[in-house]
Amino acid sequence: MSNASLSPLPSADRPDVTARLRDALLGASFTADGLLELLGAPAYAALSRSETVPALRATRGDTPLELLVRLFLLQQPVPRARVADVLPVDACLESGWLDRAGDDEVAATVDVRPYGGSDGEDWFIVSDLGCAVGGAGGIGRHARGVVLGVGGASTTLAGLTVRTPVSAALDLGTGSGIQALHAAAHATRVTATDVNPRALHITALTLALSGAPAADLREGSLYAPVAGDETYDLIVSNPPFVISPGARLTYRDGGMSGDDLCRSLVQQTGERLNEGGFAHFLANWQHVEGEDWTDRLRSWVPRGCDAWIVQREVQDVTQYAELWLRDAGDHRGDPADYQARYDAWLDEFEARKVRAVGFGWITLRRTAAAEPSLVAEEWPHPVEQPLGETVRAHFDRVDYLRSHDDAALLEAHFTLAGEVVQEQVGLPGAEDPEHVVLRQNRGMRRATRVDTVGAGFAGVCDGTMSAGRILDAIAQLVGEDPVALRDRTPAQIRLLVEQGFLEPA
């Protein structure tokens, strides 16, 4: 099945119809909250796993909301006469949102999924039929240009993006437009690019149906559609990062060798960011035999940028190939074809000496600092989304530590971050713990081991005393030389600040 066999899209040039459709959807409570109330948590969660049976069972009635869920989210034909009581059916047929199905029924031409904005907005994500719930579900093997709806990667990127008012934002590889939609809420001007013209059309529909301002939509790969002198305060991209032996599927395969697409994207970003501007990417990277993955990623970071790279998951090459073969539905086809594609994937990895593939996020911030900060770490543990404020605070702490030497740290005042708890680990009945752990219950939810001095120091920090005075008091309590304690403790204070356990008062 080629691009030509994909369903014709609704017109993007009928704002009157789109506005009437939006009003009708909101009037019937076709929203994220409305769906949760109608379907219940189990059926609602099942949709994200591409399982629609629970939702079908929950929409057997005849209310307007049940009708709209079957029509736009579950792609079921519904009686035209009944739709006419809920939607401007003639206008929707004329502009392409609906199509006739038999003599007396209509069907949706696109998926429409209610989506809650970060500030409680009622938005709608438009995508190709069958792609709004749970990803491609095998559709990708039929249609190269298919445009997916909201998935876990989309919401992860949206959640970790720094949300501050900006003048200009750029969404590279916009897909169904979810990142552009988020950016439109806090950017004066939004530019969205995609190599797939169908994705740009769908992004226009997503923005219009969500009541958001239109974006500047440009066709092309990576930064190619952007003029040489254009710079931005925010750049976001959920690129086609899958490392595959060929560019079969537009929505996931970048068409470059190995992880070159992600590398090129990151390396070209520095010159596109304004001073203080942020860039956020999801990416895959190769773990190559004889090479540390952090060294590989460090080489990607452009000059003049601070970077925070977090590896969330690592899969060996067999797990990785199986994941994406299943994503495309290849496991449901001819076994010989499946085996051939699996072999091709492993051949590609073997030729490049790739032993595993990492997944995570990369955040850049343009800086004028003489020595930019570069943090690359592995953190596979649960985090608290949204993380945008946590990301912004990380770079604020980078600036603080860069401008404070050890002497300045001892003169500074700190407070213990909110919802930090202390855990003592040791044998039952022991007089002293073997070690003490500080643990965050917010943001990255980090845990770090400290000595008794570090634990005592953190517990006393309420902003009233300088770090040096606190250490002098601790030295007196434990009978230690205060000068020696002042000499050895700043490194521990620096680490606690860097990881967000302590905040400058």
Side-chain angles (χ1 to χ4, degrees):
M1 187 182 294
S2 66
N3 282 2
S5 64
L6 290 167
S7 299
L9 295 174
S11 171
D13 300 320
R14 293 294 305 272
D16 55 330
V17 177
T18 306
R20 291 172 63 193
L21 176 58
R22 171 176 169 78
D23 289 344
L25 297 177
L26 294 175
S29 296
F30 187 64
T31 63
D33 288 342
L35 281 187
L36 183 58
E37 183 176 350
L38 170 68
L39 302 178
Y44 190 73
L47 290 176
S48 66
R49 304 191 300 269
S50 302
E51 297 293 348
T52 58
V53 171
L56 287 167
R57 291 173 61 87
T59 55
R60 291 170 171 171
D62 199 35
T63 66
L65 181 54
E66 289 170 301
L67 186 84
L68 293 176
V69 171
R70 290 198 302 272
L71 178 65
F72 283 117
L73 200 57
L74 304 177
Q75 286 86 60
Q76 301 296 306
V78 296
R80 172 173 175 161
R82 186 68 189 93
V83 175
D85 295 333
V86 183
L87 301 177
V89 65
D90 290 335
C92 287
L93 284 166
E94 178 192 357
S95 59
W97 286 97
L98 299 177
D99 198 4
R100 291 176 176 82
D103 295 332
D104 58 357
E105 291 186 317
V106 294
T109 58
V110 288
D111 276 340
V112 177
R113 174 174 172 174
Y115 178 77
S118 51
D119 289 324
E121 303 95 338
D122 288 317
W123 290 337
F124 300 97
I125 308 298
V126 180
S127 61
D128 271 314
L129 289 172
C131 294
V133 244
I139 288 177
R141 64 194 176 100
H142 298 302
R144 175 174 167 77
V146 71
V147 179
L148 301 189
V150 181
S154 301
T155 55
T156 294
L157 179 60
L160 64 88
T161 299
V162 174
R163 301 294 175 194
T164 54
V166 296
S167 296
L170 174 64
D171 177 14
L172 284 174
T174 186
S176 59
I178 179 175
Q179 309 305 331
L181 181 57
H182 274 283
H186 63 101
T188 304
R189 176 173 57 89
V190 176
T191 301
T193 72
D194 205 289
V195 71
N196 183 4
R198 188 176 181 86
L200 298 177
H201 190 133
I202 284 180
T203 291
L205 297 175
T206 290
L207 294 171
L209 193 59
S210 298
D216 179 3
L217 304 176
R218 304 184 190 180
E219 183 180 347
S221 177
L222 301 182
Y223 289 104
V226 180
D229 59 348
E230 290 182 87
T231 56
Y232 300 88
D233 307 299
L234 173 67
I235 298 173
V236 292
S237 184
N238 177 17
F241 53 66
V242 176
I243 300 171
S244 65
R248 293 172 56 214
L249 307 175
T250 304
Y251 74 87
R252 71 170 204 195
D253 301 322
M256 295 186 185
S257 297
D259 52 16
D260 283 353
L261 182 137
C262 292
R263 176 186 55 78
S264 297
L265 177 59
V266 174
Q267 287 181 337
Q268 294 172 22
T269 295
E271 61 191 27
R272 297 294 183 176
L273 273 179
N274 292 326
E275 186 73 26
F278 284 94
H280 304 274
F281 310 105
L282 299 186
N284 275 176
W285 43 80
Q286 298 173 151
H287 283 228
V288 179
E289 184 178 338
E291 177 186 72
D292 190 305
W293 73 269
T294 62
D295 292 338
R296 185 179 193 84
L297 271 292
R298 288 171 188 274
S299 72
W300 292 8
V301 177
R303 294 181 62 184
C305 286
D306 293 325
W308 185 19
I309 300 164
V310 180
Q311 181 167 270
R312 297 287 291 155
E313 184 179 1
V314 180
Q315 291 184 318
D316 67 48
V317 292
T318 59
Q319 292 174 311
Y320 188 80
E322 290 162 14
L323 169 68
W324 293 109
L325 286 167
R326 287 181 175 274
D327 177 82
D330 290 327
H331 62 300
R332 302 192 190 106
D334 186 313
D337 288 343
Y338 175 81
Q339 182 174 343
R341 288 185 174 133
Y342 200 151
D343 269 334
W345 225 304
L346 296 185
D347 285 344
E348 178 84 2
F349 285 135
E350 186 175 344
R352 296 179 172 276
K353 298 184 178 180
V354 176
R355 296 295 177 258
V357 177
F359 168 80
W361 63 70
I362 300 171
T363 299
L364 305 178
R365 185 190 60 168
R366 188 74 182 177
T367 181
E371 295 185 16
S373 166
L374 204 170
V375 177
E377 61 176 321
E378 187 164 12
W379 190 253
H381 310 293
V383 298
E384 180 192 42
Q385 283 278 28
L387 273 171
E389 182 58 25
T390 298
V391 173
R392 185 199 60 76
H394 166 88
F395 288 95
D396 285 349
R397 293 194 299 271
V398 164
D399 287 340
Y400 180 86
L401 292 173
R402 195 154 43 200
S403 63
H404 286 69
D405 60 15
D406 287 354
L409 284 182
L410 292 175
E411 293 297 321
H413 295 235
F414 300 96
T415 60
L416 186 66
E419 298 198 36
V420 172
V421 297
Q422 176 178 305
E423 300 173 357
Q424 297 188 167
V425 180
L427 293 174
E431 183 175 345
D432 296 313
E434 292 179 16
H435 60 264
V436 178
V437 173
L438 299 183
R439 187 178 302 277
Q440 301 167 348
N441 287 318
R442 304 296 303 272
M444 291 293 286
R445 294 177 172 164
R446 295 187 184 279
T448 191
R449 185 184 296 191
V450 293
D451 59 21
T452 54
V453 170
F457 178 88
V460 174
C461 283
D462 61 3
T464 59
M465 295 173 59
S466 71
R469 288 187 59 195
I470 293 174
L471 290 177
D472 290 343
I474 292 175
Q476 187 173 3
L477 283 173
V478 300
E480 188 169 341
D481 179 5
V483 175
L485 195 61
R486 279 175 172 255
D487 284 345
R488 70 177 175 84
T489 306
Q492 193 167 192
I493 297 175
R494 190 171 293 276
L495 177 65
L496 291 175
V497 173
E498 178 184 316
Q499 295 190 346
F501 290 93
L502 294 178
E503 298 174 348

